[in-house]
Amino acid sequence: MKVNGILSDRNQILTGVPQGSVLGPSLFIAFVNDRTTLENCYLFADDCLMIASGNDPSLAIKSMEHSLALASDWYNRNKLMLNASRQML
């Protein structure tokens, strides 16, 4: 990478798909295809929205905790990191 005329150190990338590549979107869809089997999970581009609702807030919280546990397990199995800091209420 070059910023303001300064080159960064070279590092070998062992995993992933180069951002902006022609095959990137198709490979991403193939990779996360089984992610859509999780309940309350909606995918758009490289984001996942998880929703829980109900008349009883405690049941909605339990449902979301269950969904997050399943998602966390999926991310761990696929050697990905879940960015839990990006949340909306």
Side-chain angles (χ1 to χ4, degrees):
M1 172 178 236
K2 186 176 184 179
V3 176
N4 294 330
I6 300 172
L7 287 172
S8 65
D9 294 334
R10 289 182 179 252
N11 289 317
Q12 184 178 8
I13 299 173
L14 302 174
T15 61
V17 177
Q19 188 172 359
S21 69
V22 174
L23 288 177
S26 297
L27 292 172
F28 176 79
I29 289 169
F31 184 74
V32 299
N33 190 43
D34 66 330
R35 179 70 179 89
T36 59
T37 61
L38 295 176
E39 56 192 61
N40 304 328
C41 175
Y42 302 92
L43 296 175
F44 179 77
D46 63 349
D47 284 328
C48 171
L49 172 66
M50 299 183 78
I51 298 173
S53 64
N55 294 329
D56 183 346
S58 64
L59 291 178
I61 289 170
K62 285 183 183 182
S63 174
M64 181 55 75
E65 289 172 344
H66 177 71
S67 295
L68 287 172
L70 292 173
S72 180
D73 182 56
W74 184 91
Y75 279 87
N76 288 333
R77 281 193 324 268
N78 289 282
K79 298 182 175 125
L80 296 171
M81 291 178 53
L82 179 63
N83 185 354
S85 66
R86 288 190 62 198
Q87 51 184 302
M88 297 174 64
L89 298 174

